[in-house]
Each structure stands twice: as C-alpha cells, then as structure tokens.
Amino acid sequence: MRLETDRLVLREWLEADKPRYAEIIADPVVRRYFPEVGTYADADAGIERARQRLVEHGYSFLAVERRSDGQFMGMLGMAPFRDELRLAIPGAPMVEIGWQLGQSFWGHGYAPEGARAMLDFAWRTFRPPEVVAITYKGNLPSRRVMEKIGMRRDPDADFEHPDVPQGHRLRPHVLYRIANPALRDD
Ligand SMILES: CC(C)(COP(=O)(O)OP(=O)(O)OC[C@H]1O[C@@H](n2cnc3c(N)ncnc32)[C@H](O)[C@@H]1OP(=O)(O)O)[C@@H](O)C(=O)NCCC(=O)NCCS
C-alpha cells in the first residue's frame, strides 16, 4: 500500500523505520498527552502490528515520508479498533484514523494532508460507513487535525480510555466522527 500527496508519501513500514520511530515516541514532548513515552520495544511491536493489520485488512497505520527529501516523519493511518478498546467507547465504532509525527515536522499541515489522503483511500476502497478519531480531551493539536479534515466531535461519545490508569489526568477522551460521503443523505 502506498499513497502520495503533494508533499508526503504514506507507505508500508521498513525495518529501517524502527529506530527512527522509536526516537519519535521516546520524545517526551511528542508524548505529552500519553501516560508514558514509548520504548524501542513499543516501536517494534507497533510496527509489526501495523504490518499484520495491513495483511489482514488491506489498510493500516503507515509510515510517513516527506517527498522533497525522503525524511521519515512518523506514523499516520487507519486501523480497526481492538475489541477491548472498541467496547469501552460509546457506540463501539469500528475504524479509527490516527497520527504521530516527529516534533520537527509539526505546524505545516502535514498530518491533515496525509489524513485526507487516507480518508479518500478508505472511501474508495474498503468503504466504512464512518471513521472516528479519539484523543485525550486536552490534546488540542490532534483535535485541530480532526476538525481540519471535516470530522465533528460527538460529545455523547466522551469516554475514559481503558489503557490509562483510573484517576489519571489523561484518561478522559473525546471522539470525532466523519461519515462516508457516499452514504450521506444531505
Ligand atoms: C497532532 C499532530 C499529528 C499534528 O500534526 P501537524 O502536521 O503539526 O498538524 P497541523 O500542522 O495541521 O497543526 C495542527 C495543530 O497543531 C498545533 N501546533 C502546530 N505547531 C505546533 C507546535 N510546534 N507545537 C505544538 N502545537 C503545534 C496547532 O494547534 C495546530 O492548529 P492550527 O493549524 O489551527 O494552528 C502532531 O502535533 C503530533 O504528532 N503530536 C504528537 C502525537 C499525538 O499527540 N498524536 C495524536 C494522538 S491522538
């Protein structure tokens, strides 16, 4: 799987991405809305899971590269929710879109650009009825990306993230939705 936009390539993971992705998720600023920074083992496991999901479902979280210089930028893509998380979210949604880029790439609209391409791919290929995105309530940059790509918050779907310890300040999460345009009746 490979998607190209004006400035980005979204592609399958390479072994060489593992240390670079590990560096991104070890950055405490990148991870300020997560309970912990990520380790090399987390990067390795996340990439292997993404590869597996691509084989199983035909879409996944992908590696993001900048077209102008080939630099590895981070992760962006879609995946089905795993059951434990899905069942903790009101309405038990099926497919999420998500992103995580290295700090030096922030603020140029790269995440919305990649996310629009990913949504477009979804509507053309596996055609989910809707796609959702979730994040910690206070993660305003991520919420801005959701708004920029036309997602709308569903305040009735706020939830407590089951992977974050009870009582932790990062537990309250919000959910944004976008419906498949082919199924909209407006
Ligand atoms: C969320 C994220 C992917 C946004 O990517 P991006 O390519 O910078 O997106 P944009 O350029 O459209 O910026 C989105 C918002 O981020 C914020 N932002 C931009 N540059 C920033 C910077 N240097 N520092 C902090 N926030 C910044 C702004 O609020 C911006 O909104 P605006 O364009 O209305 O001002 C990126 O911030 C990131 O990787 N964050 C860490 C990982 C994370 O939290 N992922 C989401 C988990 S749910």
Side-chain angles (χ1 to χ4, degrees):
M1 179 175 176
R2 182 183 171 93
L3 301 175
E4 292 194 10
T5 70
D6 285 350
R7 298 179 296 169
L8 308 174
V9 177
L10 274 55
R11 57 154 176 80
E12 294 180 24
W13 294 92
L14 306 173
E15 281 304 298
D17 298 327
K18 287 181 177 173
R20 298 185 188 123
Y21 190 53
E23 205 176 305
I24 291 174
I25 66 173
D27 178 344
V29 179
V30 170
R31 299 287 281 195
R32 67 200 184 288
Y33 301 124
F34 290 73
E36 288 164 357
V37 294
T39 62
Y40 183 87
D42 295 327
D44 184 30
I47 288 172
E48 289 305 325
R49 201 163 50 239
R51 285 173 157 164
Q52 187 61 37
R53 282 166 155 168
L54 186 60
V55 172
E56 282 170 23
H57 304 284
Y59 64 96
S60 190
F61 293 122
L62 297 169
V64 186
E65 209 175 84
R66 188 156 60 187
R67 279 178 74 165
S68 61
D69 56 6
Q71 270 204 72
F72 175 79
M73 302 168 71
M75 171 281 281
L76 190 148
M78 273 183 199
F81 282 106
R82 63 196 153 77
D83 280 349
E84 193 214 351
L85 178 54
R86 191 167 69 84
L87 297 173
I89 305 176
M94 297 304 294
V95 182
E96 75 164 324
I97 186 165
W99 33 72
Q100 192 153 217
L101 302 181
Q103 226 189 115
S104 59
F105 302 105
W106 294 357
H108 300 280
Y110 289 133
E113 183 171 321
R116 283 188 199 102
M118 193 66 218
L119 281 176
D120 216 51
F121 172 83
W123 306 147
R124 280 187 289 109
T125 58
F126 63 99
R127 301 192 183 104
E130 68 162 2
V131 171
V132 309
I134 60 170
T135 193
Y136 162 60
K137 203 171 159 187
N139 189 343
L140 299 183
S142 193
R143 292 178 60 168
R144 278 293 296 144
V145 175
M146 295 170 197
E147 286 161 8
K148 287 179 184 188
I149 63 173
M151 303 186 91
R152 292 290 163 258
R153 181 179 175 197
D154 176 356
D156 294 331
D158 287 3
F159 69 103
E160 301 280 297
H161 200 299
D163 294 348
V164 183
Q166 297 266 0
H168 195 293
R169 71 178 178 88
L170 298 177
R171 207 159 193 255
H173 274 59
V174 291
L175 178 141
Y176 283 65
R177 300 180 189 279
I178 187 165
N180 185 332
L183 305 175
R184 274 184 207 150
D185 40 34
D186 53 18

